[in-house]
Amino acid sequence: MLTLERLGEETLNRIATLALSSQIDDARKLDVRVKTDPSLLAKGQLESLAIYGEGLIMEQNIRLQEMVIRLETIAVAPFKALTGNIVLTQPTEGTARIVIAQADLNRAFNSDVLGTQLRSLQVQVDGKPQTLNVKQVNCRLLAEGRVCLDADVRLSQSDETQRVSFTTTPKVSNDGRSVVLEKVEYVQGKELSAELTQALVAKAGKILHLSHFEMPGISLRMHHLEVKDGQLTLQAVAHVTQFPSV
């Protein structure tokens, strides 16, 4: 038989998960876990709230391998909470962890949605104007914390295709809202590099901007990132002013 405490948590978990799912395009797994008890709930408090998501499709069709947001000591409207709706009475902060797989980064790099700035780039090659069109980008997340970007580029004037390849070090932007690429080292194709590299770096910043991973009422500010073989992990502070409602 369910206790009142268990019933309250299960009701909140179910309704909160339903509300959150309305803000996400798709997910392989999405779960909200609320920890509380009847006495805390009557005072308008939740002990903790955790959001677990796997295979989330976010804004701009960007897929996240995993997202975990944890909040503690949350002030809510007690009567709303008793009906299953989480309505914050004051902002709260917690932690967020976002994991992006290499395959999903490549999918985003080569998507039509984010690809416009890589078409018809006007550059100088050997002192002559050329128009570059990027046909394919391959992003590799390396074990030593570096990122390798390879791009197949067609020169429109000669209809020749060349490869540009460089490694770079990702870091958190100064405002904590995106990832920037620094310390570029060319493997090949340096003569095509300046404008093309700038465009690829700008596109990486667009793909990895935290605005794509946020939901109404939940904002993120990154403070750490880690690159492992085939995987990028972002650590952030989550600032929550409201929770989605059904």
Side-chain angles (χ1 to χ4, degrees), residues 80-110:
K80 292 281 189 181
L82 289 170
T83 65
N85 282 308
I86 298 174
V87 178
L88 272 63
T89 56
Q90 63 185 45
T92 188
E93 284 194 345
T95 62
R97 179 175 179 266
I98 297 167
V99 181
I100 306 172
Q102 176 176 293
D104 293 321
L105 270 181
N106 278 306
R107 180 170 170 266
F109 259 112
N110 293 290

